[in-house]
Amino acid sequence: MSKRPLTASTPAEPGDRVRLTAEFERTQLLGILFGEFDRNLVAIENRLGVYISARGNRVQIEGEAEAAARARDVLTELYNRIEQGQEVDAGLVDGVIAMSAQPTLAGIIRHDKDEAAPVVMIRTRKKTIVPRAPSQVPYMQALARDEIIFALGPAGTGKTYLAVAQAVAQLITGSVQRLILSRPAVEAGEKLGFLPGDMKEKVDPYLRPLYDALHDCLPAEQVERRIASGEIEIAPLAFMRGRTLADAFIILDEAQNTTIPQMKMFLTRFGMNSRMVICGDPKQVDLPLPASSGLADAVGRLEGVEGINVSYFTSADVVRHPIVGRIVDAYEGPGA
């Protein structure tokens, strides 16, 4: 049975089909907004179940009332970000679509067109980073506010990437003097001793994701120069023992693979004028005894302590690619 048509005098109700129009001033920006071969429009159509057609500077959206309104909000938000000089890619499109369902994010998704920038953002040398999932908003606020932040959730939710971006932003502005990135070198099915090379060459593959995040926020020559000068240090967790880390932004990635003594050691390295972010997925422990993970133990002890923030992410927050979220659900759902 077809749904009743909506006229101008009929209020929209759930299930009604409507036809909405969005009009954009600068037609030269529409190629970027629509994407190559209209891929951004196709993504919005597929995710929200609407039909989008464009003529000149007018875009017509047809679908159920709520979905059509969300699609219009998404297009308007993406257009505003293009006007601000931001890059629009598939990840941003998916993120804005996801956030359009959150009425509490009105100040971010539906911010006034005359505003200079979104409410929550991180500026680095190479790009300006804005939230791409609802849970990233409070997390980014915590990164700018709290002294110790635990970020827990599956791969692809932006935990480490946003932490590195915030660390780079603070290093650039002089808020901290050093950036220290660390991971436990825990074997996930492979034996470290059989890898070729010296200890640095054996350990570097474990730290590669941190290098990748750095290069996404800083020009390559700056990354190398700052590493050479000691402003940026990338080292295995074992190298942290016995140190006091002051005036530093410290990030521990893959923290679920720390033991309880290692986590205590790491947390007690905290020095004056520092910030510490601990990222990990409690469901991906590679330790011989998963119950001995220092991440879960630390969160259990410290959640609620003043100055410590715990941010949780789920498969719904995955921004790497929509299929990653579905993979996480498949592995963690009933019967997993």
Side-chain angles (χ1 to χ4, degrees):
M1 178 177 175
S2 61
K3 297 181 176 66
R4 66 187 179 94
L6 192 69
T7 66
S9 59
T10 307
E13 295 180 0
D16 283 333
R17 291 193 69 80
V18 300
R19 185 178 291 114
L20 303 179
T21 300
E23 190 168 331
F24 303 98
E25 294 178 3
R26 301 171 63 185
T27 55
Q28 66 269 31
L29 299 181
L30 297 186
I32 303 173
L33 176 63
F34 298 165
E36 189 177 10
F37 303 114
D38 292 341
R39 63 183 181 188
N40 296 341
L41 299 185
V42 172
I44 296 170
E45 288 179 328
N46 291 340
R47 289 283 297 276
L48 298 180
V50 298
Y51 174 74
I52 301 174
S53 60
R55 177 172 294 180
N57 68 334
R58 295 166 64 90
V59 175
Q60 194 169 80
I61 306 155
E62 185 175 350
E64 292 191 358
E66 182 181 353
R70 284 181 60 190
R72 184 172 58 182
D73 286 341
V74 168
L75 286 169
T76 301
E77 171 67 10
L78 293 172
Y79 178 83
N80 289 342
R81 295 193 182 194
I82 294 168
E83 281 198 315
Q84 295 161 13
Q86 294 181 31
E87 181 181 350
V88 172
D89 56 20
L92 179 59
V93 173
D94 286 332
V96 172
I97 293 171
M99 288 193 293
S100 68
Q102 305 294 318
T104 57
L105 298 181
I108 296 165
I109 293 301
R110 301 178 182 88
H111 59 270
D112 191 301
K113 187 177 178 181
D114 294 330
E115 287 186 17
V119 176
V120 181
M121 62 195 305
I122 300 172
R123 292 186 183 276
T124 68
R125 283 280 190 262
K126 292 183 72 172
K127 60 171 62 177
T128 297
I129 298 162
V130 294
R132 294 193 174 191
S135 59
Q136 288 188 354
V137 178
Y139 179 51
M140 291 172 69
Q141 291 170 334
L143 288 172
R145 178 190 66 231
D146 296 313
E147 294 176 307
I148 297 179
I149 302 101
F150 287 90
L152 283 66
T157 51
K159 306 182 301 294
T160 303
Y161 183 85
L162 291 175
V164 171
Q166 180 66 32
V168 167
Q170 293 200 205
L171 184 65
I172 291 170
T173 60
S175 300
V176 296
Q177 301 304 310
R178 291 184 296 165
L179 169 51
I180 300 172
L181 308 174
S182 184
R183 294 181 86 182
V186 173
E187 299 163 350
E190 307 87 2
K191 293 299 181 183
L192 195 60
F194 287 98
L195 293 175
D198 58 21
M199 179 54 68
K200 181 180 183 303
E201 292 170 326
K202 290 176 186 289
V203 167
D204 267 359
Y206 289 86
L207 304 175
R208 190 72 252 169
L210 300 176
Y211 285 102
D212 292 342
L214 273 176
H215 281 91
D216 211 33
C217 297
L218 282 173
E221 64 275 9
Q222 286 199 28
V223 173
E224 300 307 320
R225 176 168 54 81
R226 290 176 186 269
I227 289 175
S229 69
E231 287 181 87
I232 297 176
E233 179 182 349
I234 305 176
L237 177 61
F239 288 24
M240 300 295 108
R241 189 172 298 279
R243 302 175 62 184
T244 298
L245 306 176
D247 293 305
F249 199 114
I250 312 130
I251 299 172
L252 176 62
D253 192 25
E254 298 292 334
Q256 75 274 7
N257 289 327
T258 61
T259 63
I260 294 173
Q262 284 177 325
M263 180 61 75
K264 179 182 177 183
M265 178 274 291
F266 180 78
L267 290 170
T268 53
R269 300 308 94 202
F270 194 86
M272 298 296 294
N273 190 38
S274 287
R275 183 155 296 161
M276 184 177 282
V277 184
I278 300 99
C279 305
D281 181 359
K283 297 182 179 180
Q284 293 291 321
V285 179
D286 296 316
L287 296 171
L289 296 174
S292 65
S293 171
L295 178 61
D297 177 77
V299 171
R301 294 173 186 269
L302 299 175
E303 189 167 12
V305 173
E306 184 179 356
I308 294 178
N309 174 276
V310 181
S311 295
Y312 293 94
F313 298 83
T314 69
S315 59
D317 304 310
V318 170
V319 296
R320 184 171 293 167
H321 190 288
I323 199 170
V324 177
R326 297 194 288 272
I327 291 169
V328 171
D329 284 338
Y331 272 90
E332 296 181 359

